[in-house]
Amino acid sequence: MNARFHHPRVCGFLQFAAVAACLLLVSCGGGSGGGGAPSAPATPPNPVIVSIGASPTALTVGESTTLTWSSSNATACQASGDWSGTVTLAGTQLVTPPAARTFIYTLTCDGIASSTSVVVANAPTPIPTVSLSLVPASVPAGESSALTWSTTNAASCGASGAWAGSQGIIGSISVTQAVAGTYTYSLTCTGAGGSASGSVTLGVTDLASNVARVVIDSGPAGVNGVIGVINVPYVSVTLCRPGTSTCQTIDHVLVDTGSYGLRIIAPGVLDPNLALPAVTAGSAGNPVGECVRFISGFLWGSVHLADVKIAGETAPSLPVQQVSDAGAAFTSIPSDCTNTGGNIGTAAALGANGILGVGLFNQDCGSACVTRVVAGTYYVCAATNCTGTVMPLANQVANPVPKFATDNNGVALVMPAVAPGGATTLTGALIFGIDTQANNNIGFATVYAANSSGNFTTTYKGRSLTSSFLDSGSNGLFFPDATIPRCSVSSGFNGFYCPVPAFSSSAVNASPNGVASGTVNFTIENLQTLDATVRAASVGGSIGRSSSIIFDWGMPFFFGRTVFVAIDGQSTQHGTGPYWAY
């Protein structure tokens, strides 16, 4: 017989017998001394509990999630699925799924498992962004602002509004508007994720009545491309037949703080129909001629009267020089004029349509020419020849500024800084008056009194150069230094310094009265290595003689400065001219 069917019967019998014995003992009243109570059954172990989760559970490729897990009554835990290894009984772990799919993270502790899932999708293609800025955001008419832009996730950009055409995805340009108003520069860029636009607004205000715009560029027609046309500051001047509305505005007139009076090239520049009245001299009333000499050459021509208008200022009936006058009386140039160099009486030779002398003095000769004939200066010209003559102050070619009704005690020339390597264009301002309006206050500038010749002392390498001056009409810093390499003659920059690398030094300027002094740091770049389009740069050259006592602080000195020129005899809040201040 099969034993599996026999044991229940035996067990059942034994169980019955035990019960009967127990009943018997109870019925007999005994039991305290025989047999014990049965033992309690064993307590079962607590169950193992495992929990795991992720936050967040939805990601894009490249993003991370945090796994958080715990367990109870477990002795060991193992990771599996999309993670692995032995892990602690409870903890957190940052994971970064590497691709787009569903990731399963399983935790098994003592044979009990739990899982969590994270869904990873590909990141959407990013939408482009566009950012633009203007510095400054508001400028006077004709002055420039730097427009800068940048993008992300863009492949191409197009401009609209106040500019146009295709633009790079990043860049910076200089923008200028000649008329007051509000100008919006917009840029739309496209990429794989779509397109985006941005814009920025430039506010343009009218120039103040005492401000004329100054530009440095390639010069007037016929001059563009001429070697050496660099660092020439230009302004526009209007000449009118006195007391009439018959006028001509002439652009690209050189601003010169080193000379005095207005000089306009006649051939190809001055309209003959303007017919300015001539200044005459002598009993016969013959026309007056003038020679003015510069380091670079001379200008010869006649003297006429004009109402001169610059910005909102007017100098009425001002004697001006009409350079290279074609009149018969001026065809023959006096020999004491020509012995000072070449004739620069054309726009191409001068690099300008004329010269506006706004330096320290009222006339170009002054009292010296009133009482005696100064050779090579003023002439009275008959039909066949010109002879030297005295000239009263009223008839001398004159600085227009003292003739203005207001803002007539001097000027301030304001120019921006120029970075190493130079600039292709530059815009500044010629401000009339000193301490006469809010825009021409000297403020904390240092005043350098000038002597009767308009000079001060520059100490350079221990040497005192006692006839030094500030001259915006010179296109470089000119001083004696035989140690600086010169440019080659074949380069067209003969007389200029061409150091390699750029030469940096300093000098000390001091006023003749000993009141003011200050150090000027400067750099001379190599003209031969500058880009051919550069029109403003820190360059310089030899003054011409090693024994010279001159430091000619030309146009590069004015970069990054406001330079004040107080005219002789004119009163300002900081004293009476002549003086310089910067």
Side-chain angles (χ1 to χ4, degrees):
M1 181 180 286
N2 192 317
R4 285 186 296 177
F5 295 99
H6 176 71
H7 283 291
R9 294 186 181 183
V10 174
C11 291
F13 171 78
L14 292 175
Q15 290 171 351
F16 175 79
V19 172
C22 183
L23 292 174
L24 176 61
L25 288 174
V26 172
S27 65
C28 292
S32 61
S39 60
T43 302
N46 292 326
V48 173
I49 301 172
V50 178
S51 174
I52 184 171
S55 180
T57 58
L59 307 174
T60 58
V61 174
E63 294 181 334
S64 301
T65 186
T66 299
L67 299 179
T68 302
W69 69 92
S70 63
S71 64
S72 299
N73 308 317
T75 59
C77 294
Q78 188 74 22
S80 60
D82 287 304
W83 65 330
S84 61
T86 300
V87 297
T88 58
L89 298 179
T92 61
Q93 183 175 325
L94 187 70
V95 296
T96 305
R101 63 177 177 86
T102 299
F103 289 77
I104 306 297
Y105 299 92
T106 300
L107 180 69
T108 303
C109 301
D110 294 356
I112 304 300
S114 181
S115 298
T116 188
S117 62
V118 176
V119 178
V120 181
N122 284 316
T125 303
I127 298 173
T129 65
V130 178
S131 176
L132 300 96
S133 66
L134 279 164
V135 179
S138 179
V139 294
E143 295 192 15
S144 61
S145 178
L147 172 61
T148 302
W149 68 95
S150 61
T151 65
T152 61
N153 309 312
S156 63
C157 297
S160 61
W163 61 332
S166 298
Q167 303 293 337
I169 60 174
I170 185 171
S172 181
I173 61 172
S174 178
V175 295
T176 304
Q177 297 293 342
V179 180
T182 299
Y183 298 86
T184 299
Y185 294 83
S186 299
L187 189 68
T188 299
C189 300
T190 59
S195 64
S197 298
S199 63
V200 66
T201 299
L202 177 67
V204 179
T205 59
D206 283 322
L207 291 174
S209 62
N210 67 330
V211 180
R213 184 179 306 111
V214 175
V215 298
I216 293 179
D217 58 16
S218 297
V223 174
N224 187 10
V226 175
I227 292 177
V229 179
I230 188 171
N231 295 336
V232 183
Y234 299 111
V235 71
S236 291
V237 177
T238 298
L239 280 74
C240 301
R241 191 182 306 155
T244 75
S245 59
T246 302
C247 303
Q248 180 186 2
T249 297
I250 299 172
D251 60 16
H252 288 93
V253 177
L254 186 156
V255 178
D256 185 13
T257 61
S259 69
Y260 328 103
L262 178 62
R263 309 172 195 284
I264 300 296
I265 302 293
V269 176
L270 189 66
D271 185 354
N273 294 322
L274 194 58
L276 299 175
V279 172
T280 60
S283 58
N286 288 321
V288 169
E290 186 197 22
C291 177
V292 60
R293 292 170 288 184
F294 301 93
I295 293 176
S296 54
F298 69 87
L299 296 177
W300 163 254
S302 55
V303 181
H304 296 257
L305 297 177
D307 290 345
V308 175
K309 300 180 180 182
I310 313 170
E313 311 283 1
T314 299
S317 295
L318 186 78
V320 301
Q321 186 184 28
Q322 190 167 305
V323 178
S324 298
D325 189 333
F330 304 99
T331 55
S332 178
I333 304 175
S335 59
D336 55 359
C337 177
T338 60
N339 63 10
T340 58
N343 187 348
I344 55 174
T346 65
L350 182 62
N353 287 330
I355 298 175
L356 175 64
V358 289
L360 294 171
F361 298 103
N362 291 272
Q363 295 88 17
D364 60 356
C365 182
S367 59
C369 286
V370 174
T371 57
R372 63 185 177 88
V373 175
V374 176
T377 307
Y378 281 101
Y379 302 82
V380 58
C381 296
T384 58
N385 71 303
C386 296
T387 57
T389 184
V390 296
M391 190 59 54
L393 293 177
N395 289 343
Q396 291 183 27
V397 172
N399 186 338
V401 177
K403 304 296 183 180
F404 295 158
T406 59
D407 306 312
N408 53 19
N409 57 359
V411 300
L413 182 55
V414 185
M415 297 301 296
V418 176
T424 56
T425 61
L426 208 63
T427 301
L430 179 64
I431 304 176
F432 298 111
I434 296 176
D435 293 327
T436 61
Q437 296 194 39
N439 62 2
N440 59 21
N441 290 331
I442 284 184
F444 295 103
T446 300
V447 173
Y448 292 81
N451 62 19
S452 60
S453 298
N455 299 329
F456 53 84
T457 296
T458 295
T459 301
Y460 174 67
K461 290 188 173 181
R463 181 178 175 184
S464 292
L465 307 175
T466 56
S467 295
S468 300
F469 50 90
L470 308 182
D471 182 13
S472 64
S474 292
N475 63 350
L477 306 180
F478 294 97
F479 57 98
D481 191 333
T483 68
I484 307 175
R486 307 280 187 94
C487 301
S488 65
V489 174
S490 61
S491 70
F493 300 118
N494 189 34
F496 280 87
Y497 295 134
C498 281
V500 180
F503 172 79
S504 294
S505 190
S506 63
V508 176
N509 290 339
S511 59
N513 60 10
V515 172
S517 66
T519 300
V520 179
N521 298 312
F522 63 91
T523 298
I524 303 297
E525 295 196 74
N526 187 332
L527 263 170
Q528 295 177 184
T529 61
L530 293 177
D531 188 88
T533 62
V534 167
R535 291 294 174 262
S538 184
V539 298
S542 170
I543 199 65
R545 301 181 303 276
S546 61
S547 60
S548 173
I549 55 173
I550 296 173
F551 199 122
D552 179 354
W553 294 97
M555 194 61 211
F557 173 85
F558 293 78
F559 295 154
R561 287 187 170 94
T562 296
V563 179
F564 295 88
V565 184
I567 296 172
D568 183 36
Q570 299 292 328
S571 176
T572 76
Q573 293 180 14
H574 292 76
T576 301
Y579 67 74
W580 311 94
Y582 58 86

